[in-house]
Amino acid sequence: MSVTAPQGFEAAGVAVGLKSTGKPDVAVVVNRGPLKVAAAVFTSNRAKANPILWSQQVMHDGTVEAIVLNSGGANCFTGPFGFQTTHQTAEKAAELLEVSAGDILVCSTGLIGTGDEVFRSKVLEGTERGIAELSAEGGEAASLAIMTTDSVPKTSVHDGDGWKIGGMAKGAGMLAPGLATMLVVLTTDAVLAVDEADAHLRSATRVSFDRLDSDGCMSTNDQVSLLVSGASGVTPDPDAFRRALIEVCTDLAVQLQSDAEGASHDITIEVRGAATEDDAVEVGRSVARNNLFKAAIFGNDPNWGRVLAAIGTTGAAFDPYDVDVWMNGVRVCTAGGPDRPREEVDLTPRATSVLIDLRVGAESATIFTNDLTHDYVHENSAYSS
């Protein structure tokens, strides 16, 4: 049931023609309470879509009644008309739900730079129809409606001690930190205050969505929202809730990684032995964004020299001639030199692991990425066609 697994939530997904496929393209998620607490994190891209600009204003008081999401159009770089479209979407939802428009989050995903009266009318129609079809069983339909180039919906549910967390996500390209090109809605029926919800969400996204770096490209529309209904009446142990939220976010992030456009390998880069966690992240990301490394993995070539060359561009503390590297469990490099023969590394499975030991400290981090394939280039060369 995705976002409607926790108590206090209803959702819907409807098709209004924003997608040429005729598939669902507008989703609505409503928090029936009793709490209307929310937290959100947004893209760090300076170029922000109109729904992001609107939703950032909504989040000033930490109160959210509902969220409206559309696929089939990013509503980004569409000028005052685009912001008015977002505003009217919130007003339409508020009117039908009998709440304030200032408590309605709006999200959009799709092609940048397109938007007209037809787009606006379809989004408003989808908002109206979605609210009319709200139900406690509507979570799956909502998860389908937010898909763009995704091949499958992404959902996750965690059962806590008398409370639940539900989540849905979309994203298959432009996956890079600052949230990757994703829309994520998380829901919980636990009892949380605004500051608690915000702290938990930021802790979870920091080690999950912000560690997903599929292609190094940052979107304009990224948003991860957490809605809190408190309908269970249970105040969770803070550590237990934080761990559960990290689990759900990581599950969704890995699902996004596995559905990345054109990818043939899902690459998990673990960096350990770092002086600081930031160093570990920087080193892992340098490999994840190295096109020569990614091309090598696509070709099933365990070219560990590209790993060392990539990490050597960072400012992290380590001696490049005292680094160990494993690929799919085989130590191919030790102390900056060759170890086991490359022929021992099997890179034919989709799941690929790279372990880098910097041997200078006790900190670690994991980055999730993919290989660079012909299919990725083809799909993105014709994205707006």
Side-chain angles (χ1 to χ4, degrees):
M1 292 192 299
S2 178
V3 291
T4 53
Q7 301 176 62
F9 294 96
E10 295 179 342
V14 299
V16 293
L18 288 169
K19 295 176 182 173
S20 59
T21 60
K23 294 180 179 179
D25 43 30
V26 175
V28 182
V29 180
V30 175
N31 182 358
R32 299 298 190 183
L35 299 180
K36 304 298 177 71
V37 167
V41 289
F42 303 95
T43 180
S44 56
N45 197 325
R46 291 171 56 199
K48 292 176 170 57
N50 288 304
I52 296 294
L53 299 174
W54 171 267
S55 294
Q56 286 180 317
Q57 295 179 19
V58 170
M59 285 309 306
H60 284 164
D61 66 356
T63 299
V64 170
E65 296 275 357
I67 182 168
V68 179
L69 313 94
N70 78 269
S71 55
N75 193 10
C76 179
F77 291 119
T78 48
F81 175 88
F83 190 80
Q84 291 163 10
T85 299
T86 298
H87 193 174
Q88 289 183 25
T89 302
E91 288 182 326
K92 172 63 73 173
E95 174 190 352
L96 296 171
L97 294 170
E98 299 182 342
V99 299
S100 169
D103 293 333
I104 305 293
L105 293 174
V106 180
C107 296
S108 298
T109 182
L111 187 64
I112 293 172
T114 61
D116 53 22
E117 290 288 354
V118 174
F119 172 80
R120 174 185 285 178
S121 65
K122 288 181 178 179
V123 172
L124 295 178
E125 177 191 351
T127 302
E128 186 168 355
R129 285 184 48 197
I131 290 174
E133 297 182 22
L134 287 169
S135 75
E137 289 73 44
E140 292 303 320
S143 68
L144 292 169
I146 62 175
M147 293 168 54
T148 49
T149 57
D150 306 66
S151 65
V152 293
K154 289 91 174 173
T155 63
S156 186
V157 175
H158 176 90
D159 287 307
D161 187 9
W163 47 269
K164 291 184 178 181
I165 299 173
M168 66 178 186
K170 67 77 51 185
M174 287 181 77
L175 297 179
L179 299 179
T181 182
M182 61 178 64
L183 299 183
V184 181
V185 179
L186 304 162
T187 58
T188 184
D189 53 14
V191 175
L192 298 174
V194 172
D195 58 341
E196 293 174 317
D198 183 74
H200 289 319
L201 181 62
R202 294 180 186 279
S203 292
T205 56
R206 185 182 69 83
V207 296
S208 57
F209 298 123
D210 276 345
R211 302 283 172 87
L212 177 61
D213 202 329
S214 178
D215 56 15
C217 300
M218 186 188 299
S219 177
T220 56
N221 289 62
D222 309 331
Q223 182 170 329
V224 178
S225 307
L226 172 62
L227 308 182
V228 179
S229 73
S232 71
V234 177
T235 300
D237 173 78
D239 290 338
F241 186 87
R242 183 179 294 106
R243 287 193 300 269
L245 190 60
I246 290 173
E247 176 186 308
V248 169
C249 290
T250 302
D251 181 23
L252 291 171
V254 170
Q255 291 181 56
L256 294 171
Q257 176 198 26
S258 298
D259 198 28
E261 293 168 347
S264 64
H265 290 80
D266 302 328
I267 309 168
T268 301
I269 302 171
E270 180 186 354
V271 180
R272 70 185 186 194
T276 67
E277 184 181 11
D278 286 346
D279 276 3
V281 171
E282 182 183 3
V283 166
R285 205 175 313 286
S286 73
V287 178
R289 292 186 172 183
N290 186 282
N291 285 337
L292 288 176
F293 163 77
K294 291 156 78 72
I297 298 299
F298 170 60
N300 297 327
D301 177 12
N303 191 339
W304 55 267
R306 292 180 175 175
V307 174
L308 293 188
I311 69 176
T313 66
T314 71
F318 65 89
D319 180 352
Y321 301 99
D322 192 27
V323 171
D324 292 349
V325 178
W326 286 257
M327 287 185 167
N328 278 359
V330 178
R331 192 172 70 176
V332 289
C333 165
T334 184
D339 192 8
R340 303 302 305 166
R342 299 172 190 240
E343 293 75 21
E344 294 184 9
V345 182
D346 182 9
L347 290 177
T348 56
R350 184 176 179 99
T352 302
S353 66
V354 176
L355 171 61
I356 303 166
D357 190 346
L358 300 180
R359 298 162 60 108
V360 293
E363 299 299 320
S364 63
T366 300
I367 302 294
F368 305 100
T369 191
N370 305 94
D371 55 351
L372 179 59
T373 69
H374 303 303
D375 288 343
Y376 174 84
V377 174
H378 174 73
E379 183 164 345
N380 284 280
S381 68
Y383 183 75
S384 62
S385 300

